[in-house]
Amino acid sequence: MLVALLGLGDDAAWPGRTFTTGATASNILGLACGREAVIAARFHSAAVTASSTSPAPAPVTVAEAGLLAACQAAGVREIQVLTSMAHSSLVKAASVLGLGHTAVKELSASADEPWRLDLDAVERELARDPAVASIIAVSAGEVNTGRFATNALDMPKLRSLANRYGAWLHVDGAFGIFARALPQTDEFLSLRANTAGLELADSITADGHKLLNVPYDAGIFLCRDAAIQTQVFSNPNAAYLATPPPAQTNKTTTTTPTTTPIHSPLNMGLENSRRFRALPVYATLLSAGRAGTAEMLVHMVRLARAVASFVRDSPDYEWLPDPNALLESTHIIVLFRARDAALNEVLVDRVNATRAVFVSGTSWAGRKAARIAVSSWRVDVDADFAVIKRVLTTLAVEANSAAAVGEAVSAS
Ligand SMILES: *Cc1c(COP(=O)(O)O)cnc(C)c1O
């Protein structure tokens, strides 16, 4: 159902699938599969070059031999993760997997659009040195701005680069990938361009507990290569937990005679014992349906755009990152700051103290900024916008009169 909702193509193309604790865990799974795959690709090409006559040697894998031995056997000196404004959890994943924080390389297209991935730089890095293996990580929804790493034709280019250089293509679409479930109307044209081609990835991270509004502990991981995923995550040699290999399950409906086999989660992800994470997501999708989910997402985007338009046109606030951007670039996140430096200093606390609106504090271009992330099935665009407008207007009026009093006092 998720593959269909997100328009990821043939269901059978995603045999690697599991629910995780969240996007952090899904990013760990994605980089772990990528790490295994890129080393295998290098090992394979080294073996092909070394011998045209003798039989190919058995691959040395990270799963069996460990990272150091596998890299050595494959002639890999370095594994890098090429990205732009990756979520912090991707950097954490690089640490967990023995790649290290510094393996994550920022290849931002420009200072104006740091969330966009510089494809020329990606190609240069891929071609740099055969002893360097690469994972490309696409930020499909940057957490401060909600902007996207790719535009219409970028994913096909990244896919062919990954094929050419034996790289793994991972998408972190925690919240952003849900833009693909919006209605196919002009209103969402630019978000569709930003999320076009994400189905070309090798692995995908998404979060149920963000835009699908299910309780926490509902990360989603999809992978095209179930063999790699089970190689990495198989729970080896536990006879007492032996599960039969997945069988094709016959459905009772005649329209779809078979479904994709489901591997035991024990051998697809981190946990041994786990609760039935899929259940809340299943219930939500079943109750809302594709149309209901799209409608829910429409309300979130419209509220975010109403707020964006308000801060853009307000004399008291500044719409970030680019005040001249098109409103249609807004998904569900609005980044802004107060023009008045004193108000901006305390803006996040003041807004949150109203207990009517909650914003998170962040930093943009070296200065404090506030961030509204709209993520609720209960959004009522007009009513909620009125609350946000009232709160932001009141705070600005208070700050202006405080400033006026301050000037009057110092003048006297
Ligand atoms: C929220 C988020 C994460 C981390 O998600 P958790 O579910 O909190 O682990 C990772 N990547 C992106 C892009 C996110 O927005």
Side-chain angles (χ1 to χ4, degrees):
M1 289 169 82
L2 281 166
V3 167
L5 178 78
L6 299 174
L8 297 174
D10 184 7
D11 180 63
W14 302 98
R17 49 179 65 184
T18 193
F19 280 88
T20 67
T21 50
T24 300
S26 294
N27 282 339
I28 292 175
L29 266 57
L31 292 199
C33 291
R35 182 182 73 167
E36 192 71 278
V38 298
I39 292 173
R42 284 291 187 280
F43 184 87
H44 180 73
S45 49
V48 168
T49 337
S51 78
S52 47
T53 48
S54 51
V60 181
T61 65
V62 181
E64 275 305 314
L67 183 59
L68 299 180
C71 282
Q72 196 160 35
V76 170
R77 187 167 42 73
E78 182 188 333
I79 300 174
Q80 60 184 2
V81 182
L82 309 176
T83 190
S84 54
M85 290 203 82
H87 189 268
S88 52
S89 62
L90 195 88
V91 185
K92 176 173 173 172
S95 158
V96 170
L97 293 163
L99 308 179
H101 294 168
T102 56
V104 180
K105 299 206 170 149
E106 278 296 326
L107 302 179
S108 289
S110 68
D112 289 343
E113 295 185 302
W115 52 85
R116 280 206 66 178
L117 190 56
D118 180 344
L119 268 59
D120 294 332
V122 168
E123 179 158 18
R124 276 197 301 278
E125 283 297 326
L126 293 173
R128 180 161 64 92
D129 181 344
V132 177
S134 305
I135 298 168
I136 303 164
V138 172
S139 308
E142 191 277 318
V143 81
N144 292 288
T145 60
R147 304 300 179 86
F148 294 82
T150 56
N151 212 331
L153 296 173
D154 294 343
M155 281 300 292
K157 284 185 203 152
L158 287 172
R159 180 69 266 168
S160 65
L161 284 175
N163 292 351
R164 180 148 24 114
Y165 293 98
W168 183 267
L169 185 52
H170 176 71
V171 165
D172 181 356
F175 63 91
I177 199 169
F178 288 94
R180 291 170 65 101
L182 285 161
Q184 309 274 313
T185 56
D186 283 358
E187 191 179 357
F188 308 112
L189 203 63
S190 93
L191 293 177
R192 264 207 305 292
N194 285 138
T195 53
L198 296 184
E199 74 281 1
L200 299 172
D202 293 302
S203 58
I204 294 179
T205 287
D207 251 337
H209 57 226
K210 285 179 181 160
L211 299 201
L212 285 181
N213 276 249
V214 299
Y216 280 138
D217 196 353
I220 296 151
F221 180 69
L222 294 168
C223 180
R224 285 185 177 276
D225 193 335
I228 282 281
Q229 196 179 336
T230 45
Q231 181 176 314
V232 176
F233 291 102
S234 275
N235 196 20
N237 310 327
Y240 84 108
L241 292 172
T243 50
Q248 294 279 340
T249 42
N250 285 306
K251 274 181 130 184
T252 46
T253 56
T254 48
T255 44
T256 42
T258 58
T259 53
T260 306
I262 297 175
H263 296 264
S264 168
L266 170 68
N267 297 317
M268 298 298 272
L270 294 173
E271 294 87 6
N272 195 356
S273 309
R274 40 183 278 145
R275 65 182 188 80
F276 187 3
R277 289 198 185 114
L279 186 60
V281 174
Y282 181 60
T284 295
L285 294 180
L286 211 57
S287 92
R290 210 192 293 225
T293 306
E295 193 54 24
M296 174 177 90
L297 295 168
V298 165
H299 294 156
M300 297 187 205
V301 176
R302 286 193 183 146
L303 177 58
R305 288 180 180 176
V307 177
S309 144
F310 170 75
V311 294
R312 180 194 60 186
D313 300 340
S314 159
D316 302 309
Y317 295 97
E318 184 186 357
W319 185 35
L320 299 171
D322 172 10
N324 299 314
L326 293 175
L327 218 47
E328 287 71 32
S329 60
T330 300
H331 180 210
I332 53 109
I333 292 180
V334 185
L335 185 69
F336 64 102
R337 68 164 69 98
R339 291 187 189 278
D340 179 273
L343 175 60
N344 195 50
E345 209 42 44
V346 295
L347 181 63
V348 171
D349 290 344
R350 289 273 169 86
V351 171
N352 294 343
T354 65
R355 308 193 67 78
V357 178
F358 181 86
V359 298
S360 36
T362 187
S363 143
W364 189 258
R367 287 169 58 200
K368 282 189 178 178
R371 170 186 169 274
I372 288 184
V374 181
S375 177
S376 172
W377 61 276
R378 289 184 295 187
V379 166
D380 175 329
V381 178
D382 294 337
D384 295 337
F385 174 59
V387 173
I388 297 168
K389 185 176 163 185
R390 174 172 54 75
V391 164
L392 293 182
T393 305
T394 307
L395 291 177
V397 168
E398 284 170 9
N400 289 341
S401 56
V405 170
E407 275 164 29
V409 167
S410 58
S412 67

